[in-house]
Amino acid sequence: MAASVSCSFFFFDAEPVAEPAMPAQDACALCSKQLARDTDVFMYRGDTPFCSQDCRHHQMRLDARQAAKSAARRQRQFSSSATASGRGHREESREVPVAS
């Protein structure tokens, strides 16, 4: 027989102050609209609140676009280093100093 699991959430009036890098839990992370305790809150990346699915999806698209730009930049850097060496891979080995 499977055990029953229950889950409950509590909201307190005096919540601890968020860390500086963490988004405030009382406003939408994209449009800064105040979030009421009696309305739906849409979460993204664990702890980032949004007032609507539209705001959350917009942030997801922005993140995807940024990730694609970063991947393209890394690919260009890799391609240019391979081209500069005159071959697609390095055959020589190099010793790299290790910091202790």
Side-chain angles (χ1 to χ4, degrees):
M1 180 179 245
S4 145
V5 177
S6 65
C7 183
S8 60
F9 297 94
F10 297 97
F11 291 99
F12 300 98
D13 290 334
E15 293 179 351
V17 177
E19 297 177 21
M22 302 295 287
Q25 296 293 316
D26 57 349
C28 178
L30 188 68
C31 70
S32 301
K33 177 181 174 184
Q34 291 297 311
L35 301 173
R37 293 196 185 270
D38 60 345
T39 61
D40 288 337
V41 176
F42 301 88
M43 303 300 284
Y44 173 56
R45 292 197 174 198
D47 58 357
T48 307
F50 294 92
C51 65
S52 67
Q53 287 183 350
D54 289 338
C55 280
R56 182 179 63 185
H57 286 294
H58 185 71
Q59 183 65 51
M60 293 168 83
R61 286 190 303 267
L62 290 173
D63 290 348
R65 189 177 307 139
Q66 184 63 32
K69 285 180 182 179
S70 295
R73 189 177 317 117
R74 284 191 304 273
Q75 182 64 34
R76 281 193 306 271
Q77 290 172 346
F78 177 75
S79 296
S80 66
S81 68
T83 304
S85 69
R87 52 193 171 269
H89 64 282
R90 298 176 188 225
E91 293 179 14
E92 61 193 67
S93 65
R94 295 183 184 175
E95 289 187 30
V96 178
V98 177
S100 55

